């Protein structure tokens, strides 16, 4: 009887949150946070609901932003997708085929709507990213309240939101890389299909492949394991930076090493140590 009542309560709560989400997304996210903190602090399902509502909230915000930088280019490609067949569209690009298949599919589903493209891109990538946090929190046996607070810190983290708003292809790949490491941490398995998908979304994800092949000894504490992983990432970055000019001629991977070696100026910026520190923080 208690089990049925709990299911009914969750069903009613989901209906309520769904109605609020349609009327006012920010209030729906706020209510979900309060329910997680006050009424369901030990229930993980409320934090999974928060993943979805938080992703929708951020997706709606991104649709209101004035396009600039890479987003302008993506929207131009998106407009072309509605005028071409899939083979013709893919023939326009030399890399990242999975992302352009994703772009083409949305253009067909949404009848070429730019707002739907930005919205769905943001919702899917943030859902993957926040779900990765949910997986890690489950591995650490953190309750729903703590998990939601951690997610909130990422939802309102300015640099991360800025990336999601106009560097959508890069953020999609980064979300897949984060999901790969979250699954490895939680289940002890390396789902390399996720890493391959990340590389097919953005080739720069290939820099994580050497790290994905290395497993930390089980004898290390979590803190030491994280420090060792961060150190390995720094080593891979420095090795790539020092050898970039020599490796820039390698087929397929040349675009990665050219980007690492280049000093592209203030607007885009090269892969710097502060950027590396930010990536390690997100990990």
């Amino acid at each position: 009887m208690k089990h049925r009542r709990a299911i009914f309560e969750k069903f009613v709560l989901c209906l309520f949150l769904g109605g609020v989400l349609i009327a006012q997304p920010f209030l729906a996210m706020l209510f979900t946070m309060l329910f997680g903190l006050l009424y369901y602090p030990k229930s993980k399902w409320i934090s999974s609901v928060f993943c979805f509502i938080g992703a929708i909230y951020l997706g709606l915000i991104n649709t209101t932003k004035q396009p600039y930088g890479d987003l302008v280019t993506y929207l131009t490609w998106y407009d072309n997708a509605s005028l071409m067949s899939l083979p013709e569209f893919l023939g326009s690009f030399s890399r990242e085929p999975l992302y352009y298949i994703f772009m083409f599919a949305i253009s067909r589903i949404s009848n070429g709507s730019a707002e739907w493209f930005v919205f769905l891109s943001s919702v899917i990538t943030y859902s993957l990213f926040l779900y990765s946090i949910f997986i890690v929190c489950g591995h650490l046996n953190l309750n729903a309240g703590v998990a939601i607070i951690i997610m909130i810190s990422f939802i309102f983290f300015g640099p991360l939101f800025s990336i999601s708003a106009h560097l959508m292809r890069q953020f999609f790949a980064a979300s897949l890389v984060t999901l790969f490491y979250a699954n490895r941490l939680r289940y002890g398995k390396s789902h390399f299909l996720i890493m391959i998908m990340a590389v097919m979304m953005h080739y720069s994800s290939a820099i994580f492949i050497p790290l994905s092949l290395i497993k930390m000894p089980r004898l290390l504490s979590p803190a030491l394991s994280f420090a060792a992983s961060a150190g390995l990432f720094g080593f891979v970055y420095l090795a790539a930076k020092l050898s970039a000019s020599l490796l820039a001629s390698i087929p397929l991977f040349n675009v990665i090493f050219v980007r690492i070696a280049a000093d592209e100026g203030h607007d885009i910026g090269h892969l710097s140590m502060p950027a590396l520190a930010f990536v390690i923080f997100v990990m």
Side-chain angles (χ1 to χ4, degrees):
M1 194 68 179
K2 289 183 178 179
H3 180 65
R4 291 183 178 178
R5 181 178 177 182
I7 294 177
F8 179 73
E9 288 179 353
K10 292 177 181 178
F11 176 72
V12 172
L13 179 57
C14 287
L15 286 179
F16 168 75
L17 291 174
V20 177
L21 180 64
I22 295 174
Q24 177 48 259
F26 178 75
L27 288 180
M29 190 174 66
L30 179 63
F31 284 146
T32 310
M33 180 182 68
L34 292 176
F35 282 125
L37 295 175
L38 301 177
Y39 296 103
Y40 298 95
K42 296 182 180 180
S43 179
K44 293 183 179 179
W45 76 272
I46 193 70
S47 53
S48 63
V49 171
F50 185 82
C51 285
F52 181 65
I53 291 180
I56 290 178
Y57 171 70
L58 291 167
L60 290 171
I61 291 180
N62 277 347
T63 61
T64 67
K65 298 205 70 175
Q66 181 69 29
Y68 72 98
D70 284 25
L71 181 56
V72 175
T73 304
Y74 295 150
L75 291 177
T76 301
W77 294 342
Y78 181 73
D79 289 337
N80 294 336
S82 61
L83 304 174
M84 301 180 180
S85 66
L86 181 58
E88 290 175 333
F89 184 62
L90 291 179
S92 305
F93 308 97
S94 60
R95 59 182 193 270
E96 288 106 7
L98 186 58
Y99 183 78
Y100 301 115
I101 291 174
F102 168 78
M103 180 183 286
F104 182 86
I106 293 182
S107 73
R108 289 295 186 266
I109 295 172
S110 66
N111 198 28
S113 169
E115 289 77 13
W116 272 107
F117 171 64
V118 174
F119 175 73
L120 290 176
S121 297
S122 302
V123 170
I124 293 172
T125 51
Y126 265 112
S127 294
L128 291 171
F129 182 73
L130 295 175
Y131 182 65
S132 301
I133 297 175
F134 172 75
I135 292 175
V136 174
C137 290
H139 175 71
L140 298 175
N141 293 319
L142 301 178
N143 63 35
V146 175
I148 288 175
I149 289 174
I150 294 174
M151 291 180 200
I152 281 285
S153 68
F154 280 98
I155 285 175
F156 291 105
F157 187 57
L160 187 64
F161 176 74
S162 178
I163 289 174
S164 75
H166 69 284
L167 298 178
M168 294 191 299
R169 182 164 54 104
Q170 291 88 328
F171 187 53
F172 207 142
S175 297
L176 288 169
V177 171
T178 307
L179 181 62
F180 172 86
Y181 283 105
N183 277 314
R184 170 187 272 190
L185 179 65
R186 181 69 177 91
Y187 304 109
K189 296 181 179 180
S190 297
H191 299 283
F192 286 104
L193 178 60
I194 297 177
M195 186 62 73
I196 293 172
M197 290 174 63
V199 175
M200 293 296 100
M201 284 288 181
H202 199 284
Y203 270 19
S204 62
S205 304
I207 197 172
F208 289 93
I209 291 178
L211 289 177
S212 67
L213 300 175
I214 300 172
K215 288 188 176 181
M216 293 296 111
R218 293 182 179 274
L219 297 176
L220 292 180
S221 66
L224 287 176
S225 179
F226 175 81
S229 297
L232 279 172
F233 185 65
F235 173 78
V236 170
Y237 163 74
L238 291 175
K241 187 76 173 176
L242 293 174
S243 58
S245 59
L246 300 175
L247 300 175
S249 60
I250 298 178
L252 296 179
F253 291 99
N254 59 333
V255 64
I256 301 171
F257 294 111
V258 167
R259 181 67 179 267
I260 292 174
D263 187 356
E264 298 176 347
H266 178 72
D267 292 336
I268 300 178
H270 59 285
L271 187 56
S272 61
M273 288 303 293
L276 173 63
F278 170 67
V279 171
I280 292 175
F281 168 76
V282 172
M283 292 172 61

